[in-house]
C-alpha cells in the first residue's frame, strides 16, 4: 500500500465561509514575497466595506478600533461594539486555546501541546472545528487562538498552550487548526506575534534576535497561519529588537503584510498597546481590551492633524473586510448552531489518546491488567487535571477523576495522596493564643486581627497554606516574624494565580509559602477584612514531618499492590515561568520512595512541558499526559489498560536537568539581563541545540513508545521541482495494532554559506498499522523546508547540493540514512 502526503500544505482548498479570500498561499511554498495586501492607507477593499466606510463618522470608526465593556457579556475576554445604525454587528472575542473560554461550560479540550504530540494535522483540523463550532454556539465571533510561539525554554509558563519547538510541526498544526476554526465561521487569531517565548518579564522584555533565526524558527508558524487566511493576528507584549511588537513596522507591515500578504487585522494582546500614532502607522489596527491609546487619544490626534484619518480608515477597512469575509456584515453568516457537547467530548477523548506519550515502559509494566490490585497515588489521581491556568482555562462540561475511572475497571484499588497540596491543621497547642485556624469567619464589614506566636518544636521546612474565600486581592495578610507570607503579585500578576492547585477542593483560593523555620517561637500576625460579603479563611501547614508521613503511607500502599499508578503534576500558568524543570514540592522524593518499594510503578505526568526525572530508572513506566482536558481520566485509563496504543511523540526535547538545555547557564539568553534577552543560540534551538552541542537530552524530540514494535526499510529520496519525496516502508513487527510516527530529518546544504543545523525535521507521518501490516509511505518535503533565510538578500535560499536524509523514530533514534541531490 502506498500513501503520499505533503506535510506543509495539506489542503489545497480553503474551507472558509464567505467567498473568495486573498491570502498568500504562495507565500508558504514559494520563495518570492507576494503582492502587498491592504498595507497602504489608500488601498480600497470590496464595495460593501468601502460603502460602510464612507458612511461612518470618525467616532464610529474609532469605536471599531478598540475594546469596550460588553453590556451583555458572556464572560469572554474582549468586546467591540458594532455600529447598529449601519448594520455592523458587535464582535465578541473569546480565549482559547483548548476550548472556548466564556462563563458557560464548553468542551475542555486537551492542551495544544498534547494535540501537537499526535503529529497529526488532520486531528488539529478537527480540534479547530470543535472550537469553531462551540465558539459560534456560545455567542462568539472571534477566537483568541491558536498560539504558535515556539517552545524555546523549558521554563516558559505557556508551553502547554502552544505546539512545539519545531517550526515545521508548529506550522502544519496551526494552519490545520485555523482552517478548522474558520471553517465553522469563527474568526481565528494567531498569537502572540512574535517572539513571546516566555512569561518572565513578558510585558517588557526586549528580545534581540537576528533575521535568519526569526524567519527560520518563530515566524514560520505565523506565516503558515497567514497562508490559510487567519482573520486576525494578536501582537505580543514584548519588544523585538528594541521596538514593542505591537508597534513594530518591521513585524506588522513589512513582514506580515508586505512579505506574507496578510489582509486581516492586527489586535494587541491585552493591555499591550504603548502608543497611538506610532502603533497605528506601524500597522496595529485594534487595541484591546480598552481604548487607552486608540480611543479619545486617537480621535484627538486625528482632529489635531497629527494622525491622518487615512490610517484610521485603513484599520477599519481591515476589520470590516474580515467581517465581510465571514458574512457578518450582510447577514450571510450561517445562524449560530447549538453546542454539540457529545461531539466535542468525542474529539477531546480522541486527542488525549492520540497525544498520550509513553516515555518509558520496562518489564511489561504497561498495559496494566488490573490483576493483583492497583495502588493509585498522587493528588492528581483524585483531582482531575484538566487544564493549565491563566486565559487558557475553560469551564469543562465535566471532569472525572482518574481514580474513579480506574476503580470502575479494577476491583482492588487503593488511594493515597502521597503529596499534600492543601495542608493539615496547625496544632492548636503550637499557637498562643490559639485561634480557629480551620474555619476563621470574618463578618461583613469587620476586620479580624491576630497577634501571637507560633512555636515550632523542631527546626523544619514549613509550607504555610492559606485558603480564603475573598477575592485574591482581598486575602488575609499574614506576617511571620514580620515577613509577609502571601504578598500580592505585582501588576497583572494576581490574575494568573496558577491552575488546578490554586483552588482547594471546596473552592477556596489557595496560596502557599515554603520557609525553613528554626526551633522555638515565631511571631505571627494576621489581618483579615470581611469586605462586603464576609470571608472565611484557613491557615494550614505542611512540614517535613507531615511530608514524611504522607510518603510512608504511599510506600505502604505501593508494597501491597501489584501495580502502582502515581500521578505527578506541575501547575503552569500564563504570567509566570517555572524556575526549575524539577517537579514541584516533594514529588521527586515521593516517586523515588514509591518506585523503590514497587518497581512496577507507572508515573503519569500531568505537566505543562518537559520535566527532569531523577527517578526515571527505578520506575516501570512513564506516561506523559500533559493537561489532558475534560476526558483526560478516560483517555489516561484507556492508554494505561491498553485499550489503545499511546499515540503521542514529544514535540519538545526533554532536558536531563536545569544545567543542560538550550537556555541554561546564560542569563542573557534566558531570562534576560536588564530587560534585554539575546537569542544567541540562533537557529540552533530545541533539538538542533542538542545536536549542535552534542548534549544528550533525557528524551529527544520525537520520542514516544508504542505497545507494539516497528521496523523501517527501503528508504529512498527523489528531488523534483516541488521539493523532495522521501519514501520508506514501515512494518508493524509486533502483535498489536499501533501508531508509528516515522520522522524525516534533512542535513545541511553544502552550497549555502549560512549557518545551518546539524539536521532539521523535514516531514513526518502518523500511521496506524495492524499487526504484521507493512506500508510504503512517501513524505513530501517542501522547498521551504529545504531553504535557509539569507539575511543579506532578505529572502529564502534553497539549500541545493547533496544533502543527507535520515528517517527515525525520534531525533535521537535515527534508523536509516541516504543522501539526495537537491536542486
Ligand atoms: C494573553 C492572551 C489572551 C488575552 C485575553 C492575555 O493576557 O496573553 O493570550 O488572549 O490575555 O485574555
Amino acid at each position: 500500500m502506498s500513501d503520499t502526503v505533503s506535510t506543509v500544505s495539506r489542503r489545497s482548498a480553503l474551507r472558509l465561509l464567505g467567498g473568495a479570500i486573498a491570502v498568500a498561499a504562495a507565500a508558504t511554498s514559494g520563495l518570492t514575497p507576494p503582492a502587498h495586501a491592504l498595507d497602504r492607507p489608500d488601498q480600497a477593499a470590496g464595495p460593501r466595506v468601502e460603502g460602510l466606510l464612507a458612511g461612518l463618522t470618525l467616532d464610529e470608526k474609532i469605536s471599531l478600533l478598540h475594546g469596550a465593556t460588553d453590556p451583555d457579556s458572556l464572560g469572554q475576554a474582549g468586546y467591540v461594539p458594532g455600529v447598529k445604525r449601519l448594520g455592523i454587528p458587535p464582535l465578541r472575542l473569546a480565549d482559547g486555546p483548548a476550548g472556548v473560554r466564556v462563563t458557560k461550560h464548553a468542551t475542555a479540550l486537551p492542551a495544544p501541546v498534547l494535540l501537537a504530540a499526535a503529529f497529526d494535522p488532520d486531528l488539529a483540523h478537527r480540534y479547530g472545528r470543535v472550537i469553531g463550532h462551540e465558539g459560534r454556539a456560545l455567542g462568539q465571533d472571534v477566537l483568541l487562538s491558536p498560539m504558535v510561539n515556539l517552545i524555546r525554554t523549558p521554563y516558559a509558563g505557556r508551553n502547554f498552550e502552544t505546539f512545539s519547538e519545531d517550526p515545521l510541526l508548529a506550522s502544519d498544526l496551526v494552519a490545520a487548526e485555523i482552517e478548522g476554526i474558520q471553517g465553522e465561521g469563527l474568526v481565528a487569531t494567531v498569537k502572540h506575534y512574535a517572539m513571546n517565548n516566555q512569561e518572565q518579564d513578558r510585558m517588557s522584555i526586549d528580545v534581540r534576535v537576528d533575521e535568519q533565526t526569526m524567519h527560520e524558527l518563530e515566524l514560520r508558524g505565523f506565516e503558515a497561519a497567514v497562508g490559510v487566511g487567519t482573520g486576525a493576528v494578536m501582537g505580543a507584549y514584548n519588544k523585538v529588537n528594541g521596538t514593542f511588537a505591537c508597534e513594530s513596522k518591521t513585524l506588522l507591515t513589512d513582514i506580515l503584510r508586505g512579505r506574507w500578504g496578510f489582509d486581516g487585522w492586527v489586535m494587541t494582546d491585552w493591555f499591550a498597546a504603548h502608543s497611538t500614532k506610532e502603533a497605528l502607522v506601524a500597522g496595529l489596527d485594534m487595541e484591546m481590551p480598552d481604548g487607552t491609546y486608540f480611543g479619545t487619544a486617537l480621535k484627538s490626534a486625528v482632529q489635531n492633524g497629527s494622525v491622518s484619518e487615512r490610517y484610521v480608515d485603513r484599520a477599519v477597512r481591515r476589520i470590516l473586510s474580515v467581517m465581510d469575509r465571514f458574512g457578518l456584515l450582510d447577514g450571510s453568516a450561517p445562524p449560530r448552531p447549538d453546542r454539540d457537547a457529545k461531539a466535542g467530548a468525542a474529539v477531546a477523548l480522541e486527542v488525549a489518546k492520540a497525544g498520550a506519550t509513553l516515555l518509558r515502559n520496562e518489564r511489561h509494566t504497561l498495559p496494566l491488567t488490573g490483576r493483583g490490585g492497583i495502588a493509585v497515588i498522587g493528588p492528581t489521581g483524585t483531582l482531575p487535571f484538566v487544564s493549565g491556568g491563566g486565559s487558557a482555562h475553560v469551564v469543562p462540561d465535566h471532569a472525572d477523576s482518574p481514580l474513579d475511572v480506574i476503580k470502575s475497571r479494577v476491583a482492588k484499588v487503593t488511594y493515597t495522596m502521597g503529596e499534600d497540596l492543601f495542608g493539615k491543621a496547625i496544632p492548636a497547642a503550637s499557637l498562643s493564643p490559639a485561634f480557629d485556624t480551620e474555619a476563621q469567619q470574618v463578618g461583613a464589614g469587620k476586620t479580624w486581627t491576630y497577634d501571637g506566636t507560633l512555636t515550632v518544636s523542631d527546626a523544619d521546612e514549613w509550607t504555610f497554606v492559606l485558603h480564603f474565600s475573598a477575592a485574591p486581592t482581598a486575602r488575609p495578610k499574614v506576617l511571620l516574624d514580620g515577613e509577609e507570607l502571601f504578598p500580592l503579585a505585582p501588576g497583572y500578576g494576581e490574575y494568573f494565580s496558577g491552575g488546578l492547585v490554586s483552588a482547594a477542593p471546596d473552592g477556596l483560593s489557595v496560596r502557599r509559602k515554603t520557609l525553613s523555620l528554626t526551633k522555638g517561637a515565631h511571631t505571627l500576625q494576621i489581618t483579615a477584612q470581611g469586605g462586603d460579603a464576609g470571608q472565611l479563611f484557613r491557615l494550614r501547614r505542611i512540614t517535613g514531618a507531615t511530608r514524611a508521613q504522607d510518603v510512608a503511607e504511599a510506600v505502604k500502599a505501593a508494597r501491597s499492590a501489584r501495580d502502582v499508578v502515581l500521578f505527578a503534576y506541575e501547575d503552569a500558568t500564563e504570567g509566570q515561568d517555572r524556575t526549575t524543570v524539577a517537579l514541584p514540592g516533594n514529588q521527586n522524593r515521593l516517586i523515588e520512595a514509591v518506585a523503590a518499594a514497587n518497581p512496577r510503578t507507572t508515573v503519569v505526568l500531568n505537566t505543562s512541558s518537559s520535566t527532569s526525572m531523577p527517578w526515571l530508572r527505578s520506575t516501570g513506566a512513564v506516561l506523559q499526559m500533559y493537561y489532558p482536558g475534560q476526558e483526560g481520566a478516560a483517555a489516561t485509563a484507556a492508554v494505561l489498560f491498553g485499550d489503545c496504543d499511546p499515540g503521542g511523540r514529544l514535540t519538545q526535547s526533554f532536558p536531563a536537568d536545569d544545567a543542560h538545555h538550550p537556555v541554561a547557564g546564560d542569563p542573557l539568553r534566558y531570562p534576560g539581563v536588564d530587560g534585554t534577552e539575546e537569542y544567541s543560540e540562533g537557529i540552533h534551538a530545541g533539538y538542533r541545540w542538542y545536536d549542535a552541542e552534542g548534549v544528550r537530552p533525557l528524551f529527544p524530540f520525537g520520542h514516544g513508545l508504542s505497545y507494539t514494535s516497528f521496523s523501517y526499510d527501503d528508504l529512498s529520496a527523489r528531488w523534483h521541482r516541488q521539493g523532495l519525496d522521501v519514501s520508506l516502508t514501515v512494518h508493524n513487527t509486533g502483535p498489536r495494532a499501533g501508531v508509528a510516527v516515522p520522522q524525516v530529518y534533512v542535513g545541511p546544504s553544502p552550497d549555502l554559506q549560512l549557518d545551518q543545523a546539524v539536521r532539521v525535521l523535514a516531514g513526518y507521518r502518523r500511521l496506524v498499522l495492524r499487526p504484521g501490516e507493512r506500508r510504503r509511505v512517501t513524505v513530501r518535503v517542501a522547498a521551504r523546508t529545504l531553504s535557509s533565510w539569507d539575511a543579506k538578500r532578505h529572502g529564502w535560499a534553497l539549500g541545493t547540493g547533496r544533502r543527507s536524509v535520515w528517517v527515525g523514530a525520534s531525533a535521537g533514534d535515527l534508523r536509516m540514512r541516504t543522501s539526495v541531490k537537491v536542486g
Side-chain angles (χ1 to χ4, degrees), residues 77 95 144 158 191-192 202 234 237 269-270 391 492 574:
D95 266 311
L144 303 169
R158 298 184 87 169
K191 70 186 186 185
H192 312 82
R202 67 171 173 164
M234 184 190 288
Y237 285 120
D269 198 341
W270 266 228
S391 59
Y492 209 12
E574 172 184 350

Side-chain angles (χ1 to χ4, degrees), residues 654-662 664 689-690 695-697:
F654 273 36
D657 53 40
D658 285 306
H660 298 91
H661 56 72
W689 178 87
Y690 290 88
V695 173
R696 261 175 83 98

Side-chain angles (χ1 to χ4, degrees), residues 368-722:
L368 298 172
T369 61
R371 286 192 300 274
I374 298 180
V376 176
I377 298 172
T380 46
T382 49
L383 282 176
F385 216 121
V386 173
S387 71
S391 59
H393 183 80
V394 171
V395 185
D397 279 323
H398 69 97
D400 300 328
S401 90
L403 177 65
D404 290 342
V405 178
I406 292 172
K407 273 188 174 164
S408 72
R409 308 181 59 131
V410 176
K412 207 176 138 219
V413 179
T414 59
Y415 175 72
T416 42
M417 184 174 55
E419 165 86 342
D420 183 2
L421 294 182
F422 302 110
K424 295 179 176 48
I426 297 178
S430 61
L431 290 164
S432 174
F435 71 96
D436 186 357
T437 53
E438 281 297 285
Q440 192 62 55
Q441 189 74 52
V442 187
K446 299 265 165 41
T447 299
W448 183 91
T449 56
Y450 174 83
D451 195 348
T453 54
L454 167 73
T455 304
V456 177
S457 51
D458 292 298
D460 201 349
E461 187 182 79
W462 275 55
T463 300
F464 287 90
V465 190
L466 178 71
H467 300 216
F468 57 96
S469 64
T473 46
R475 62 185 174 236
K477 197 169 173 173
V478 182
L479 284 95
L480 188 85
D481 296 329
E483 180 193 340
E484 190 167 351
L485 294 187
F486 311 103
L488 291 180
Y492 209 12
E494 277 303 321
Y495 177 64
F496 307 107
S497 51
L500 180 85
V501 305
S502 65
D506 64 1
L508 295 196
S509 299
V510 172
R511 296 289 184 278
R512 301 173 182 79
K513 172 77 179 183
T514 301
L515 301 168
S516 289
L517 291 193
T518 52
K519 181 179 169 174
H522 299 265
T523 64
L524 179 67
Q525 291 155 305
I526 305 174
T527 309
Q529 309 287 353
D532 290 345
Q535 79 156 306
L536 169 73
F537 78 91
R538 299 177 194 118
L539 186 65
R540 291 185 169 178
R541 56 81 158 106
I542 303 164
T543 64
T546 69
R547 283 190 184 97
Q549 177 68 29
D550 290 335
V551 171
E553 277 168 23
V555 165
K556 198 167 151 216
R559 283 213 178 96
S560 53
R562 179 172 186 264
D563 290 288
V564 174
V565 180
L566 194 159
F567 288 85
Y569 82 95
E570 174 262 318
D571 197 18
T573 178
E574 172 184 350
Q576 289 165 21
D577 279 356
R578 291 189 285 166
T579 52
T580 170
V581 291
L583 287 170
N586 200 38
Q587 294 184 97
N588 278 343
R589 268 181 277 167
L590 171 69
I591 299 171
E592 262 155 34
V594 166
N598 187 337
R600 294 186 59 79
T601 293
T602 297
V603 177
V604 177
L605 291 168
N606 290 128
T607 53
S608 65
S609 186
S610 53
T611 42
S612 56
M613 305 180 200
W615 32 260
L616 183 67
R617 282 177 206 290
S618 54
T619 61
V622 178
L623 177 63
Q624 176 70 49
M625 290 301 296
Y626 303 101
Y627 301 157
Q630 65 177 45
E631 307 301 323
T636 304
V639 175
L640 289 174
F641 289 96
D643 303 350
C644 62
D645 205 35
R649 304 295 183 266
L650 293 182
T651 67
Q652 61 193 302
S653 316
F654 273 36
D657 53 40
D658 285 306
H660 298 91
H661 56 72
V663 299
D666 181 355
L668 195 52
R669 197 176 275 190
Y670 176 84
V673 176
D674 296 335
T676 298
E677 187 177 37
E678 277 176 16
Y679 282 27
S680 52
E681 74 280 14
I683 60 157
H684 307 283
Y687 59 87
R688 301 158 196 228
W689 178 87
Y690 290 88
D691 284 341
E693 300 292 321
V695 173
R696 261 175 83 98
L698 179 64
F699 291 112
F701 174 89
H703 172 72
L705 304 172
S706 159
Y707 289 147
T708 185
S709 49
F710 297 98
S711 71
Y712 300 151
D713 302 290
D714 301 331
L715 174 63
S716 68
R718 192 174 64 85
W719 166 256
H720 52 85
R721 272 193 316 185
Q722 284 79 41

Side-chain angles (χ1 to χ4, degrees), residues 144 146-150 158 189-207 209 214 218-219 222 232-249 251-252 256 265-275 279 283-288 492 574 677 679:
L144 303 169
M147 167 170 174
V148 75
N149 302 101
L150 292 185
R158 298 184 87 169
T189 310
V190 67
K191 70 186 186 185
H192 312 82
Y193 182 64
M195 321 314 291
N196 181 184
N197 309 105
Q198 68 189 51
E199 294 304 283
Q200 173 87 39
D201 301 323
R202 67 171 173 164
M203 303 278 186
S204 56
I205 192 86
D206 182 7
V207 172
V209 56
M214 193 157 79
E218 176 89 346
L219 293 191
F222 291 97
V233 170
M234 184 190 288
Y237 285 120
N238 48 281
K239 292 179 181 169
V240 179
N241 294 328
T243 307
F244 278 111
C246 285
E247 54 189 44
S248 161
K249 178 175 171 289
L251 286 176
L252 303 186
L256 187 62
W265 88 86
V266 180
M267 71 181 82
T268 61
D269 198 341
W270 266 228
F271 306 106
H274 293 276
S275 62
L284 180 70
D285 304 305
M286 184 184 275
E287 178 186 10
M288 274 294 166
Y492 209 12
E574 172 184 350
E677 187 177 37
Y679 282 27

Side-chain angles (χ1 to χ4, degrees), residues 94-259:
D95 266 311
V100 180
R101 178 177 166 81
V102 288
T103 338
K104 285 192 179 160
H105 290 264
T107 305
L109 289 155
V113 69
L114 180 52
L115 166 70
F119 276 70
D120 186 353
D122 288 329
L123 193 59
H125 184 260
R126 283 193 285 134
Y127 183 98
R129 283 210 99 99
V130 169
I131 304 180
H133 184 91
E134 294 211 344
R136 295 262 305 136
L138 291 164
Q140 304 303 306
D141 309 290
V142 179
L143 184 80
L144 303 169
S145 169
M147 167 170 174
V148 75
N149 302 101
L150 292 185
I151 297 178
R152 172 176 179 262
T153 153
Y155 305 124
R158 298 184 87 169
N159 284 352
F160 69 95
E161 290 191 58
T162 189
F163 300 117
S164 178
E165 68 189 21
D166 180 75
L168 171 71
L169 182 61
S171 303
D172 290 351
L173 297 174
V174 79
E177 189 185 330
I178 288 175
E179 288 186 274
I181 296 165
Q182 298 200 151
E184 295 288 337
L186 193 69
V187 178
T189 310
V190 67
K191 70 186 186 185
H192 312 82
Y193 182 64
M195 321 314 291
N196 181 184
N197 309 105
Q198 68 189 51
E199 294 304 283
Q200 173 87 39
D201 301 323
R202 67 171 173 164
M203 303 278 186
S204 56
I205 192 86
D206 182 7
V207 172
R208 302 286 167 148
V209 56
D210 66 76
E211 200 180 301
Q212 183 185 357
T213 301
M214 193 157 79
H215 280 276
E216 289 186 18
L217 297 178
E218 176 89 346
L219 293 191
R220 283 187 60 190
F222 291 97
E223 183 182 5
V226 171
V228 294
T230 188
V233 170
M234 184 190 288
Y237 285 120
N238 48 281
K239 292 179 181 169
V240 179
N241 294 328
T243 307
F244 278 111
C246 285
E247 54 189 44
S248 161
K249 178 175 171 289
T250 309
L251 286 176
L252 303 186
T253 294
D254 300 348
I255 296 175
L256 187 62
R257 297 186 188 272
R259 180 163 286 279

